[in-house]
Amino acid sequence: MTSTSSITDLTTAPPPNAKSALLFWASWHEDSSPGGSASNLFQTLASTCSSSSLSFFRVEAEEVTDLSTEYNVTVVPTFVLIDQGNKIFDKIEGMDDVARLTQAVSNFMQQTNISGNETEQQQDEKTSTPTNHVLTEEEKLHKSLKN
């Protein structure tokens, strides 16, 4: 692992029992490579989250194929948020929705374990939404903005 400011280049699995944000990138992809828009956004997120327990890692997708396979990365950039149990909290492919990425990181940082590793958001969804009701995109947006 090599480190540049608050982001570490990762060549092996992320540390166990730690929240991690991974940016999968490729040298041939201008936006995801160092200095590109995805890389700069990731750096900004890392800087604004520097006081949190969230660690930020860059993974060169074609060089670290075992991680790319493990997290089913098929496009760059791909952002993967991994919880303390090494399970995927969220995965965002591409740079089309910067707001979704920043909201996902914000939600991930605020995640707190309740009983059985449920997040507050998951518990809220269970209590406020009937089990047979599927949320529309508008309802999901409203819920995420409300939190």
Side-chain angles (χ1 to χ4, degrees), residues 44 46 49 53 61 69 74 88 96-97 99 101 107 110 120 135-136:
T44 300
C49 301
S53 61
T69 301
T74 57
I88 296 175
D96 295 335
D97 197 347
L101 175 61
N107 290 344
Q110 294 173 12
E120 289 179 29
L135 293 176
T136 66

Side-chain angles (χ1 to χ4, degrees), residues 31 33-45:
D31 286 339
S33 62
S37 59
S39 183
N40 290 341
L41 173 62
F42 198 63
Q43 180 65 53
T44 300
L45 289 169

Side-chain angles (χ1 to χ4, degrees), residues 111-122:
Q111 175 190 29
T112 55
N113 285 334
I114 314 249
S115 62
N117 292 329
E118 270 187 78
T119 65
E120 289 179 29
Q121 183 178 2
Q122 289 168 329

